[in-house]
Amino acid sequence: MAMALSTQPQDQQQSPPPPSPLKVDLEGQTKQAPEQEVEVVNFSKRAQWLRAAVLGANDGLLSTASLMMGVGAVRKDPKTMVITGVAGLIGGACSMAIGELVSVYSQYDIEVAQIKREDRNGALGVEEIDARKEKLPSPWQAAGASALAFAVGALVPLLAAAFVKEYKVRLVVVIAAVSMALIGFGWLSAVLGKVPAAKSASRVLVGGWLAMGITFGLTKLIGSAGV
């Protein structure tokens, strides 16, 4: 009986079963899983630059436009209006840069002091300390970005008023240009911050109209009173 079993042809012996399609598919998904990693963007890291850039541009736009509108309420010649805007651009850019430099330096010093407190007992390595310091915001970069953004925003009303001699037309052109820029800045900040664009743009636009209207009205009132 044993000899009969041993003399069976090899092609009649049972071959291993084919791999299951489900198993192959699962193995393929397992191998491809590391390649399908989803990149997660931390939008909080953009907060410092977004705040400096958007606030700088909005401040440059609104403060310069409101200053020009206020002067335009009592002086109708374009030269006075433009010179006032240029002075506002220079002074505002310097003010924004210094303010941002002081603010970010204070934050930087606090973060560095916290790192030193954590490393009193040598709990942190040199590489970890350097890595944490590299993640801290740069005061000079923030100051430069803020000043540049302010200047870009201030150029909008300046360019709008520089080539229009008619008084009423110049006021309308400045308001229209500033309104378009406000909508653009509001939309840009919403896109970068992943928030509703319509709400952000409308909020910035209404705030800009209020700033220009109040400045124009109060300056006109004071000028009419002969102060």
Side-chain angles (χ1 to χ4, degrees), residues 105-170:
Y105 249 127
S106 299
Q107 179 184 351
Y108 182 87
D109 291 339
I110 293 173
E111 295 290 342
V112 171
Q114 179 62 28
I115 294 174
K116 290 181 179 179
R117 283 192 294 268
E118 295 178 5
D119 192 47
R120 281 181 180 178
N121 299 325
L124 303 177
V126 178
E127 295 181 357
E128 184 177 355
I129 294 176
D130 293 339
R132 291 180 61 174
K133 286 184 177 181
E134 288 179 358
K135 294 180 181 179
L136 297 179
S138 172
W140 290 102
Q141 289 181 355
S146 182
L148 179 61
F150 187 97
V152 171
L155 283 175
V156 175
L158 276 173
L159 294 177
F163 304 102
V164 182
K165 294 183 179 181
E166 182 64 29
Y167 173 68
K168 293 183 178 180
V169 177
R170 186 167 66 252

Side-chain angles (χ1 to χ4, degrees), residues 44-106:
S44 63
K45 292 182 179 180
R46 300 180 179 178
Q48 186 67 37
W49 288 103
L50 182 62
R51 181 179 68 87
V54 173
L55 285 180
N58 278 326
D59 284 350
L61 180 68
L62 287 180
S63 61
T64 305
S66 298
L67 187 62
M68 293 172 64
M69 293 291 291
V71 173
V74 293
R75 297 291 299 270
K76 297 184 178 182
D77 59 297
K79 183 178 180 179
T80 301
M81 197 173 188
V82 172
I83 292 177
T84 302
V86 171
L89 185 155
I90 298 173
C94 293
S95 176
M96 286 292 295
I98 295 173
E100 195 69 21
L101 184 68
V102 172
S103 176
V104 178
Y105 249 127
S106 299

Side-chain angles (χ1 to χ4, degrees), residues 29-60:
Q29 290 182 0
T30 304
K31 293 179 180 179
Q32 294 177 0
E35 300 178 358
Q36 297 177 352
E37 295 180 354
V38 179
E39 183 180 358
V40 179
V41 179
N42 186 3
F43 292 101
S44 63
K45 292 182 179 180
R46 300 180 179 178
Q48 186 67 37
W49 288 103
L50 182 62
R51 181 179 68 87
V54 173
L55 285 180
N58 278 326
D59 284 350

